[in-house]
Amino acid sequence: MLEIRHLKTLHALREADSLVEAAERLHLTQSALSHQFKELEERLGLPLFVRKTKPIRFTSAGLRLLQLADATLPLLRGAERDIARLAGGTAGRLHMAIECHSCFQWLMPTIDQFRDAWPEVELDLASGFAFAPLPALARGDLDLVVTSDPVDLAGITYVPLFTYEAMLAVANQHPLAGKPYIVPQDLLDQTLITYPVERDRLDIFTRFLEPADIEPAAVRTSELTVMMMQLVASGRGVCGMPHWALHEYSSRGYVKGKRLGEKGLFATLYAAVRTDMLDAPYMRDFLLTAKDTSFATLDGVSAVR
């Protein structure tokens, strides 16, 4: 009764959150996708999701099939990967750089899994903080760059990994801790702690403070997330940070995370790849593994709409 395509379409619907977007991801018409779901539901004798709900609300039967999809599709990709290796094309190079201080938390498990699956691929990882990685990617010195700041460059494709919320970390006893959300004016008398990167690469400046023409009282930098959290917890400043990196500390009551703006400040993390490498089997597998690992390990991330 069940086919792999059914699991893939259910998985796509959960990520896309609408039939229209799911159809686009699967390169189908909305009519064809609706027909596929109707046919499957008639076979099963049960509805799989509630129509005209946003976000999509799955029935118990739909949730059970999603559990099967989560267990089966990675195994299927693993088998396809092994077959691709047998067919050749297993050797290659994957030199990457990271423009995100917080990304090591999920990227290292991705790299470990990839290394086991593709032992013949030459793998190298560098920090992109001391040089400009995107121009290096365009020159061919690198093969992939993890970034939240896409720049239009010839021959470079940006593959969205996930959407995340940027938040503000404050001490538990901080006056801002009781506010429902933070507005730019709240930072006028605050010391803002950031990673040591240019302002034009920090969302809290480019998309929160600068549009309101607000400058914090002082700016302090730190290389290490744990050090930034210690400074925040001791009342030495406040800190902008992705939700997934902050959650490790806020969930234990070490600091509080506050939303930036009433509706929140959201950004997307990308894998920048040279376009001519997108079809390499090991590159496709790395991107899929990176997405799977991030959704499995990070709190507060979502599929890119």
Side-chain angles (χ1 to χ4, degrees):
M1 295 176 67
L2 285 174
E3 302 175 23
I4 294 297
R5 64 188 177 99
H6 296 142
L7 299 182
K8 289 183 176 179
T9 52
L10 272 171
H11 188 270
L13 181 59
R14 181 180 62 186
E15 285 201 344
D17 225 14
S18 75
L19 278 173
V20 175
E21 292 182 32
E24 290 177 354
R25 290 181 181 221
L26 295 167
H27 305 291
L28 297 172
T29 64
Q30 184 181 352
S31 175
L33 187 60
S34 296
H35 179 75
Q36 187 179 126
F37 277 120
K38 183 179 179 181
E39 179 188 32
L40 178 59
E41 289 174 331
E42 288 177 351
R43 285 193 202 178
L44 299 173
L46 288 168
L48 296 176
F49 63 95
V50 181
R51 264 63 176 179
K52 297 182 180 179
T53 58
K54 194 169 180 67
I56 291 290
R57 186 156 55 89
F58 291 92
T59 64
S60 296
L63 291 172
R64 180 63 186 89
L65 290 186
L66 281 171
Q67 289 179 340
L68 179 63
D70 289 338
T72 302
L73 294 180
L75 292 175
L76 178 65
R77 283 206 307 274
E80 291 172 339
R81 180 178 61 216
D82 292 341
I83 291 171
R85 290 174 59 194
L86 290 172
T90 60
R93 187 194 80 167
L94 183 51
H95 289 185
M96 67 185 80
I98 306 175
E99 284 194 332
C100 167
H101 282 74
S102 307
C103 288
F104 289 98
Q105 179 179 346
W106 61 268
L107 192 58
M108 297 314 294
T110 298
I111 291 174
D112 289 341
Q113 185 175 340
F114 178 82
R115 186 184 292 109
D116 290 340
W118 299 89
E120 296 175 36
V121 173
E122 178 190 337
L123 190 62
D124 190 36
L125 174 64
S127 165
F129 312 131
F131 66 100
L134 289 175
L137 177 65
R139 290 194 305 268
D141 299 335
L142 295 171
D143 306 303
L144 183 148
V145 175
V146 178
T147 182
S148 59
D149 302 299
V151 177
D152 189 15
L153 293 171
I156 302 300
T157 297
Y158 292 90
V159 179
L161 296 175
F162 55 79
T163 295
Y164 65 92
E165 183 173 3
M167 303 190 73
L168 190 75
V170 302
N172 292 324
Q173 299 79 23
H174 197 285
L176 296 178
K179 295 197 63 175
Y181 58 88
I182 304 300
V183 297
Q185 290 76 11
D186 289 330
L187 302 188
L188 275 170
D189 59 350
Q190 299 297 316
T191 295
L192 181 62
I193 304 167
T194 73
Y195 292 113
V197 299
E198 298 88 348
R199 283 191 177 203
D200 59 8
R201 290 169 54 190
L202 293 170
D203 289 334
I204 195 167
F205 279 109
T206 60
R207 298 176 53 208
F208 187 68
L209 293 174
E210 290 176 1
D213 196 25
I214 295 295
E215 180 71 18
V219 176
R220 178 174 181 172
T221 63
S222 176
E223 286 274 0
L224 301 176
T225 301
V226 63
M227 182 59 70
M228 296 169 79
M229 292 297 96
Q230 287 180 355
L231 291 170
V232 170
S234 61
R236 306 294 292 277
V238 297
C239 172
M241 187 167 291
H243 183 281
W244 86 75
L246 177 57
H247 180 261
E248 178 183 352
Y249 302 93
S250 61
S251 63
R252 293 182 297 177
Y254 196 63
V255 296
K256 288 188 180 297
K258 308 304 296 183
R259 173 162 278 192
L260 291 167
E262 185 175 5
K263 296 182 178 179
L265 182 64
F266 294 87
T268 299
L269 199 68
Y270 298 89
V273 182
R274 291 205 313 280
T275 305
D276 63 336
M277 289 193 64
L278 279 174
D279 290 332
Y282 63 84
M283 180 64 78
R284 292 201 305 268
D285 186 61
F286 181 86
L287 294 173
L288 287 170
T289 302
K291 287 185 179 182
D292 284 347
T293 303
S294 61
F295 286 113
T297 59
L298 301 181
D299 188 82
V301 302
S302 59
V304 179
R305 301 288 182 242

